[in-house]
């Protein structure tokens, strides 16, 4: 979902907000709306090229008192231009 959101938001004529909305929709469809609350977008550079990065942070079920409680994944895509 993070990679697809980044690709969608990085398209010429699209926006980071559209990428976030796409990632949220994919997460909600796959595992439910409770897991789509921590989706953010930032601009960055990848290999010297401007890019959009979508981060999805979702809660993990607690299996005891030890271990991580969240999972974070990121997806990046080069920003398209019409130059």
């Amino acid at each position: 979902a993070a990679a697809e959101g980044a690709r969608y938001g990085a398209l010429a004529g699209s926006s980071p907000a559209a990428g976030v909305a796409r990632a949220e929709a994919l997460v909600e469809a796959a595992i439910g709306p409770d897991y789509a609350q921590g989706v953010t977008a930032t601009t960055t550079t990848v290999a010297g090229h401007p890019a959009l990065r979508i981060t999805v942070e979702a809660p993990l079920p607690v299996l005891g008192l030890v271990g991580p409680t969240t999972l974070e994944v990121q997806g990046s895509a080069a920003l398209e231009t019409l130059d």
Side-chain angles (χ1 to χ4, degrees), residues 10-79:
L11 291 172
S14 191
S15 68
V20 167
R22 177 72 173 149
E24 287 173 341
L26 291 170
V27 171
E28 287 176 7
I31 57 177
D34 292 341
Y35 296 92
Q37 303 303 311
V39 181
T40 59
T42 56
T43 54
T44 186
T45 57
V46 175
H49 300 284
L52 177 67
R53 176 173 292 144
I54 300 288
T55 303
V56 178
E57 189 173 312
L60 288 175
V62 177
L63 298 175
L65 300 176
V66 180
T69 58
T70 60
L71 174 69
E72 179 180 297
V73 294
Q74 296 179 339
S76 300
L79 291 170

